[in-house]
Amino acid sequence: MLFRVISVLSLLVLAGRLTHLRFRHETVQAGAQAGSLSRAAYFRWLGRGVSSLFRPAGWQWMRATFVYYCSSYPAPMLKWVFVALSASFLYLTVSGLAFALFSPRGLFGIPLVLHVISGGIFALSLAADVVVRAKEYSSIIEVFTAGGRPMGYLLGLFSKPLRQSVLYWVFVLSGLALITTALFSMLPYFGFQTQVALIETHRWAALAAALSAMAFFDAVLPRKEA
Amino acid sequence: MKNWEAQPRTGPVAGQPHASVQKTGIPGKRKFPCRRFRFLFRVVGRPARRHPFSLHLLGSREKKNAEEKMKPSRVASAALYLSAVIGINVLLLAGPGEAAQQQRPQQKWDGNRTTPVHLIPLKDELDQPIIPTETNPLPFSSRYTCAPCHVYETIRQGLHFDATLAPEAGRPGEPWIWVDERTGTLLPLSYRKSKGAFDPAQVGLSGWDFTLLFGRHLAGGGVSEPPDSAFTPGSRWEVAGKIEINCLGCHNRSGAQDPSEWAKQILRENFRWAATAASGIGEVGGMASRVKGTWDIYDGPDPDDTEWAVPPFVRYDPALFDSRHRLLFDLDHKPANDRCLACHSVTPVDKAKYAFDEDVHTAAGLKCASCHRNDLGHAMVRGYEGEAGDYPGMAGEDFTCAGCHLGDEKAKGEKALAGRLGAPFPKHKGFPAVHFKRLSCTVCHAGPWPGKELTRVRTSRANRLGIYGVARWSTDMPAIIEPLYIREKSGKLAPHRLLWPAFWAEQAGQEIKPLQPQAVTAAAGGLLTPEKGVVRILTALSLGFEAGRTAVLILAGHVFEVNLDGGLNALPYAGEPSAPSPQWAVMQGQEIVPLVVDFDPEAEEMDPAVEAQLQAVLESLASVEGAPGKPVLLDKKALYQITDTYLEKAESPLPPLTSPQLAWLVEGKVTPLVPDAELRRIASLAGTEQTLTEDQVKAVLETLSRSSAGPEGAEGKRFSYISGGKLFRLDHDGRLEVVNHDAAGPVTWPLGHEVRPARQSLGVNGCKDCHRFGSPFLFRKARGTGPLQTAHVMTISANAFMRLDRPYQKLFGLSFVVRPLLKWVLFLSILVVGSIVVLVVLLALGRLSRLLEKRN
């Protein structure tokens, strides 16, 4: 019950926060007027955005976003790393959280089989992605201290590059926890209490991975300019 | 109910004379009122109490005179009389049990852990003490013998005795199976609500009928101890008595406790004597079943019939009693396992006794009663998950598998701890936690290992096990198979036993009303006994042989001979038949020779020995009961028959035969000795456990339909026969049609034993014990069986019982083939990602330390 409550709240709060920041940026860019940053305006903006996903304009936006992400990978082949990682993680998140939140029985049936298959793909693609992108996000210390001390550190703490690095590594660590708990639950070494603890860890790691992935995706995706 | 200890003694104590005995003044000499009194005084020491069979009545002349003098006035007498009447009414309304409880508060356990010595007097059902040496004593009554200390009314609410009082009894148990091989009946019955089982009253069975059928394995009480108001017409409770709760059936530690004797006495309708006989306390003779319906215990023995209709009687061994007529009961507070297994044995059919492994709990030293406990109320703990919800006051959760092995996590104190009675704590290494939500403990740990085929078992109550005597009691039918994993109301899978019911029924729409076997037999007549004709012929032929020679029939690769039950035994025939089937022959030891020796019927003179043999055979056949005509022998063109005690040869009306054949000559026509239809039925059922063929079923259904049709040919009721999971009935054209019906579905009940050791539990070899492409656990089939020989049977897959999707389970099982590969992928991924994470952390630490150095 606690997991369900915290999952729903944290996902909604983070999604709301990130979309609200984008709404503010877009509204300011477009010329803010009195009342244009109100709650009602935000929800109207959100509604328009969600509905646009189901129209050709929305699809074009998604395609453009996909192209943008793929362009950050050096070799064409490695684009498939991103595709595999994101697609598998998307399915894992949706299936896992949907059953965890709404099904009293938990994951079962064909979704379970696909979840396990996706888990294998996720593990492989995460390893490949880390190999490729680790260097890019490993200069946390330099980013943190780039502005000089002490105010520079504070500013560095909120800088976009640092945020992206931290979110990336949170995602990687969560993914590592997911893979480890999945593997350990399949080994004949751990008793019932440990199995239960592994499942709980897997759930919380999945939530952390989902939240960090959302925030990372938002941090990397450029905002609309006027 | 009187409390024997509280009763004031009106007679003298042992060794002291009764008041009616006068002193003569001569030492050792006393004056007795009569010779019988003197005899009894010498034997008993004091006068016996009044008793229906007792020859001595209390009182003497002097005592009566004294009483006359002391008579009170009429007013005082009336007042005394009225107060006595009022007092008696109060006692009657209060009830004997309550009176006893009012007199004596319910005993509480004083903490002593031994079983108290039960050196107590016996009491009969009239609440009178039993004197072992008196003439024609009654059998002892558990109600009055045990009851002063153990309240009978409380005990009779117990699980073994309350089937008619508590139809809802938690998880369903094994139903009673009414087995009748002749009609092919395997009818599940239960007073408790159980899916697939019929209420005995629905089938027309009264409590009396039910007791006769199943009393062999009943514990007494309940339906076999009905109130007088529940006596039904046709019952003989007044003659046989009621079956009280058989306390000794469970609690007798003596090796003399004999379940076979109990069954025998029930069969003889010696209900009130059964407990006495079975416990070995007394010898019981006579048969209530032969006694007239007007007899009761006050009539005593019949001096005119000491051979046949002998009323039941009991003889006690005085050596078992002490000088105060008290018997030592060797009792066990917690019954030994043998007492439970007398009614609750379940064993695989193909297993030898020495090879059978007992339950792991028994092997560890636990008794059945160590877990299946109860207080005086005898509401026994059954130990299944969720029992506490069905019986809140019973602490049932304490004795489930988890209760002892895992403890109760939600409880505090001792109840939270595992390891009760030394139960090992299961680690369940590598076992995903989801299994504990979907499976009960018994799925992996109880019953036989799920092999390719289901295991066929026999149970005490269904197959009448454990009753030994001259006759063989146990039956092969019904066929009960296990284990099938079925989802219970808790949502968890649990192993079950399964029975395919078989019975004749009257069908009205979708409603099915089973018919009693005797009703079917009465309507079907000889249709259900095709072997009778052959039996009569073989018996008649055998009577004409000398000792050691038996007439047999060779048919369809089998040798048929008459058995002790009046049926036919079928043995495989290895030899080559010298003539087309059927062939009548003679068996002498292991050798089989033709009944009619080979001879040339066209010869001028017949060998006198052959002639004598032919004559003997035909004369034997002439004595066959119900012979339709004159027996004849046909050989080539000749016909031989007995005419005026001589063997006469005539011309055969049939075309020439290649081998001799026996037949009947009926009004000038030759008919087979045994109709072909009967021979076909006998041949097809030979060597099988089936007792009916499809054409028999069709014929019986036609007979039933005809017998129920109106006098003007109006359409009668619709009848059907159920077997092997299918319903057989006649369609509008009179042909036999096979349909599905809910009533034909299998009857299942959960099993809890035998529990296998941990190293023999499912999953010990890994996930593939259950999760693989063709695993027996998920995919083996339960095929319908029954008394009917037919190819039309229901087949249900194991996954269907579990309500699991078959294609998905196949796919899921396949996924375990690549599971090792998946584990390697995950492991390598962890290695790569983990290494890089560690590397990055180390690099970051390095940079941080350099930064700090720079600052310093």
Side-chain angles (χ1 to χ4, degrees):
Chain A
M1 192 62 175
L2 182 66
F3 176 79
R4 281 179 184 166
V5 170
I6 292 178
S7 301
V8 170
L9 280 176
S10 57
L11 286 168
L12 284 176
V13 164
L14 183 65
R17 175 69 180 156
L18 294 174
T19 50
H20 192 260
L21 284 173
R22 283 194 175 258
F23 160 70
R24 276 180 60 178
H25 177 83
E26 283 182 22
T27 307
V28 166
Q29 286 288 320
Q33 294 167 7
S36 58
L37 290 176
S38 64
R39 205 175 296 169
Y42 161 69
F43 282 112
R44 279 197 298 273
W45 175 87
L46 191 66
R48 279 198 302 272
V50 169
S51 61
S52 71
L53 290 175
F54 299 99
R55 284 194 230 112
W59 304 338
Q60 283 173 7
W61 174 82
M62 281 194 284
R63 191 168 181 282
T65 307
F66 171 70
V67 168
Y68 172 79
Y69 274 115
C70 291
S71 64
S72 61
Y73 285 85
M77 194 62 192
L78 292 173
K79 286 184 183 56
W80 291 108
V81 170
F82 167 71
V83 171
L85 181 66
S86 50
S88 62
F89 182 70
L90 193 63
Y91 178 78
L92 286 167
T93 309
V94 169
S95 60
L97 285 176
F99 277 86
L101 296 176
F102 303 114
S103 168
R105 196 180 149 179
L107 198 54
F108 67 96
I110 296 290
L112 172 64
V113 175
L114 293 176
H115 190 96
V116 174
I117 295 170
S118 301
I121 297 171
F122 173 78
L124 276 175
S125 53
L126 181 68
D129 192 82
V130 167
V131 166
V132 170
R133 308 286 296 272
K135 192 175 180 182
E136 181 182 339
Y137 294 108
S138 63
S139 53
I140 295 178
I141 301 297
E142 285 80 2
V143 171
F144 179 58
T145 58
R149 57 171 181 159
M151 286 305 294
Y153 291 172
L154 279 173
L155 287 169
L157 205 57
F158 295 102
S159 68
K160 195 172 174 181
L162 181 63
R163 214 166 53 238
Q164 287 179 359
S165 297
V166 168
L167 287 169
Y168 179 80
W169 287 112
V170 168
F171 177 77
V172 169
L173 287 172
S174 303
L176 184 64
L178 285 168
I179 301 167
T180 308
T181 51
L183 175 64
F184 281 11
S185 68
M186 286 192 271
L187 298 176
Y189 303 128
F190 304 105
F192 174 72
Q193 298 296 341
T194 312
Q195 293 275 347
V196 172
L198 286 171
I199 291 174
E200 286 300 304
T201 308
H202 193 86
R203 285 182 169 185
W204 291 105
L207 179 63
L211 292 171
S212 59
M214 277 170 65
F216 179 81
F217 180 82
D218 180 75
V220 171
L221 187 69
R223 300 198 177 193
K224 275 186 189 172
E225 300 299 334
Chain B
M1 179 170 56
K2 291 181 183 175
N3 184 328
W4 64 272
E5 279 192 350
Q7 278 181 345
R9 291 186 177 275
T10 57
V13 296
Q16 291 184 12
H18 193 269
S20 60
V21 176
Q22 294 178 346
K23 293 184 181 174
T24 57
I26 302 169
K29 276 274 187 184
R30 291 183 176 86
K31 186 177 178 185
F32 293 91
C34 63
R35 287 169 64 186
R36 281 178 293 181
F37 194 104
R38 181 173 64 211
F39 166 76
L40 283 167
F41 187 86
R42 280 180 186 160
V43 171
V44 176
R46 60 182 173 86
R49 292 185 178 280
R50 183 166 299 157
H51 190 278
F53 287 173
S54 175
L55 297 178
H56 174 73
L57 299 175
L58 286 172
S60 65
R61 286 190 210 93
E62 288 76 9
K63 186 178 174 186
K64 281 178 186 169
N65 290 338
E67 283 172 354
E68 279 294 325
K69 286 176 189 173
M70 290 175 65
K71 260 186 181 177
S73 67
R74 285 191 179 183
V75 173
S77 300
L80 196 66
Y81 174 74
L82 275 172
S83 54
V85 167
I86 291 166
I88 287 167
N89 279 323
V90 166
L91 278 175
L92 283 174
L93 285 170
E98 292 174 24
Q101 285 182 333
Q102 286 162 9
Q103 291 169 14
R104 194 185 180 93
Q106 192 161 351
Q107 289 192 335
K108 286 186 181 175
W109 180 44
D110 64 351
N112 180 26
R113 290 175 52 189
T114 64
T115 304
V117 173
H118 282 68
L119 181 64
I120 55 175
L122 299 183
K123 286 211 163 183
D124 59 29
E125 66 180 52
L126 303 170
D127 196 17
Q128 299 293 318
I130 291 174
I131 311 297
T133 50
E134 68 180 352
T135 312
N136 299 322
L138 284 181
F140 90 95
S141 158
S142 57
R143 176 191 278 266
Y144 293 108
T145 304
C146 312
C149 299
H150 307 292
V151 180
Y152 192 84
E153 294 302 318
T154 304
I155 295 169
R156 71 188 306 192
Q157 311 296 324
L159 183 68
H160 283 100
F161 322 115
D162 74 339
T164 52
L165 303 172
E168 302 285 351
R171 194 171 78 166
E174 180 184 346
W176 296 94
I177 312 296
W178 191 356
V179 178
D180 185 84
E181 290 185 358
R182 177 172 297 181
T183 57
T185 297
L186 305 170
L187 183 61
L189 299 168
S190 178
Y191 283 106
R192 305 193 202 269
K193 284 181 189 167
S194 177
K195 186 170 177 281
F198 293 91
D199 189 303
Q202 191 184 351
V203 184
L205 282 178
S206 64
W208 171 261
D209 300 322
F210 189 88
T211 304
L212 277 180
L213 277 173
F214 303 114
R216 51 178 162 79
H217 283 104
L218 280 174
V223 68
S224 52
E225 193 185 11
D228 291 355
S229 57
F231 287 6
T232 50
S235 65
R236 287 162 54 89
W237 294 108
E238 292 93 347
V239 178
K242 301 175 191 177
I243 307 179
E244 293 177 347
I245 293 172
N246 184 17
C247 308
L248 295 180
C250 294
H251 292 286
N252 194 5
R253 184 161 33 193
S254 163
Q257 184 68 31
D258 188 358
S260 299
E261 185 66 30
W262 170 270
K264 198 167 66 178
Q265 297 300 332
I266 298 298
L267 185 69
R268 293 175 175 178
E269 295 182 18
N270 295 345
F271 291 172
R272 60 164 63 86
W273 291 265
T276 305
S279 59
I281 290 172
E283 269 184 60
V284 171
M287 281 197 200
S289 57
R290 290 180 180 171
V291 173
K292 281 186 288 192
T294 52
W295 182 88
D296 65 23
I297 54 172
Y298 299 99
D299 293 339
D302 181 0
D304 298 326
D305 187 350
T306 56
E307 296 278 338
W308 175 252
V310 177
F313 60 88
V314 57
R315 292 197 190 96
Y316 294 101
D317 181 2
L320 296 176
F321 294 76
D322 70 0
S323 63
R324 292 162 66 181
H325 316 302
R326 298 178 303 177
L327 181 85
L328 177 66
F329 284 102
D330 187 9
L331 298 180
D332 224 336
H333 167 237
K334 283 189 176 176
N337 288 354
D338 273 5
R339 301 287 164 258
C340 309
L341 293 173
C343 297
H344 294 285
S345 285
V346 179
T347 48
V349 164
D350 56 355
K351 207 136 201 174
K353 191 171 184 178
Y354 76 91
F356 179 73
D357 286 349
E358 58 195 354
D359 191 289
V360 68
H361 297 90
T362 312
L366 289 175
K367 280 177 160 182
C368 307
S370 300
C371 299
H372 298 290
R373 303 182 183 188
N374 55 267
D375 59 6
L376 186 68
H378 284 70
M380 299 179 72
V381 171
R382 295 170 66 191
Y384 60 88
E385 287 181 50
E387 189 178 11
D390 295 331
Y391 299 100
M394 264 181 58
E397 282 306 315
D398 293 358
F399 298 101
T400 58
C401 313
C404 289
H405 285 276
L406 299 172
D408 185 359
E409 286 175 346
K410 295 170 195 165
K412 289 178 185 173
E414 196 179 326
K415 284 204 173 180
L417 300 175
R420 189 166 179 175
L421 297 175
F425 183 81
K427 291 182 183 170
H428 290 122
K429 283 185 178 175
F431 203 54
V434 66
H435 290 81
F436 298 98
K437 289 184 190 173
R438 309 277 165 80
L439 311 177
S440 64
C441 307
T442 44
V443 167
C444 301
H445 292 285
W449 181 272
K452 280 186 183 170
E453 297 294 329
L454 289 157
T455 303
R456 181 166 167 176
V457 297
R458 284 179 292 214
T459 74
S460 292
R461 293 190 291 143
N463 300 89
R464 309 201 303 192
L465 306 182
I467 304 171
Y468 307 107
V470 174
R472 178 171 172 253
W473 281 69
S474 63
T475 57
D476 293 326
M477 284 286 189
I480 297 173
I481 50 176
E482 66 176 35
L484 282 134
Y485 303 96
I486 297 173
R487 206 168 294 281
E488 296 187 309
K489 68 177 182 185
S490 63
K492 289 189 178 183
L493 290 177
H496 284 61
R497 295 192 174 107
L498 178 146
L499 161 83
W500 296 98
F503 54 93
W504 301 87
E506 186 183 316
Q507 194 177 0
Q510 283 298 309
E511 204 181 312
I512 292 280
K513 188 188 166 196
L515 298 176
Q516 293 197 8
Q518 45 267 39
V520 177
T521 307
L527 288 169
L528 295 172
T529 52
E531 74 281 359
K532 272 290 175 245
V534 173
V535 167
R536 288 193 190 119
I537 290 167
L538 291 177
T539 306
L541 289 171
S542 298
L543 286 174
F545 296 155
E546 55 265 26
R549 286 160 60 88
T550 318
V552 295
L553 170 68
I554 300 172
L555 177 68
H558 287 87
V559 175
F560 294 90
E561 60 173 343
V562 179
N563 59 30
L564 288 171
D565 296 323
L568 288 177
N569 282 346
L571 305 167
Y573 180 61
E576 288 291 325
S578 57
S581 291
Q583 187 190 3
W584 304 93
V586 179
M587 186 157 74
Q588 186 171 354
Q590 296 296 319
E591 197 187 350
I592 297 177
V593 296
L595 180 67
V596 176
V597 295
D598 203 12
F599 71 100
D600 184 7
E602 291 172 353
E604 286 287 330
E605 290 279 332
M606 188 186 276
D607 185 350
V610 171
E611 188 177 340
Q613 194 209 18
L614 285 183
Q615 187 157 350
V617 166
L618 292 175
E619 280 171 355
S620 296
L621 287 174
S623 66
V624 167
E625 185 189 335
K630 188 189 275 192
V632 295
L633 173 72
L634 300 157
D635 194 359
K636 292 185 183 162
K637 293 180 192 173
L639 182 146
Y640 296 90
Q641 59 184 326
I642 301 288
T643 306
D644 294 332
T645 72
Y646 288 100
L647 184 68
E648 183 188 56
K649 179 179 173 181
E651 193 171 337
S652 167
L654 298 178
L657 299 172
T658 53
S659 60
Q661 277 187 29
L662 292 163
W664 302 110
L665 191 66
V666 183
E667 294 175 358
K669 286 185 184 169
V670 174
T671 59
L673 207 64
V674 178
D676 286 339
E678 289 183 9
L679 288 175
R680 274 199 309 275
R681 286 170 194 162
I682 292 169
S684 64
L685 295 174
T688 69
E689 61 180 6
Q690 276 71 38
T691 55
L692 292 174
T693 58
E694 283 191 13
D695 63 325
Q696 265 180 300
V697 167
K698 180 170 174 288
V700 173
L701 289 173
E702 285 168 350
T703 308
L704 287 168
S705 299
R706 271 199 305 273
S707 62
S708 74
E712 295 170 358
E715 196 173 326
K717 298 172 187 169
R718 200 165 190 196
F719 295 91
S720 55
Y721 179 68
I722 283 172
S723 174
K726 296 284 187 180
L727 185 144
F728 297 81
R729 63 184 180 198
L730 297 175
D731 62 16
H732 295 293
D733 298 325
R735 287 187 299 240
L736 193 67
E737 68 169 346
V738 184
V739 298
N740 292 329
H741 195 282
D742 287 343
V747 177
T748 59
W749 61 95
L751 70 92
H753 296 280
E754 308 300 308
V755 177
R756 302 193 301 274
R759 284 297 304 166
Q760 293 184 357
S761 56
L762 271 178
V764 69
N765 300 315
C767 307
K768 287 184 183 174
D769 278 350
C770 303
H771 295 293
R772 64 174 192 272
F773 188 73
S775 79
F777 177 80
L778 285 167
F779 302 110
R780 67 183 170 183
K781 293 185 169 44
R783 198 165 180 277
T785 58
L788 176 61
Q789 193 178 60
T790 177
H792 301 287
V793 293
M794 183 178 280
T795 303
I796 305 179
S797 180
N799 53 74
F801 280 108
M802 299 184 206
R803 300 207 296 262
L804 294 175
D805 184 48
R806 184 185 177 87
Y808 169 72
Q809 293 300 327
K810 291 265 185 186
L811 177 67
F812 193 67
L814 261 181
S815 71
F816 281 80
V817 174
V818 295
R819 200 171 161 94
L821 178 65
L822 175 66
K823 288 180 191 173
W824 277 110
V825 164
L826 296 179
F827 175 69
L828 289 171
S829 302
I830 292 169
L831 209 60
V832 168
V833 174
S835 308
I836 291 174
V837 167
V838 167
L839 198 64
V840 167
V841 168
L842 289 174
L843 282 173
L845 284 173
R847 287 175 189 164
L848 188 64
S849 61
R850 274 202 297 274
L851 187 68
L852 291 172
E853 277 176 5
K854 272 188 191 173
R855 281 182 60 197
N856 293 337

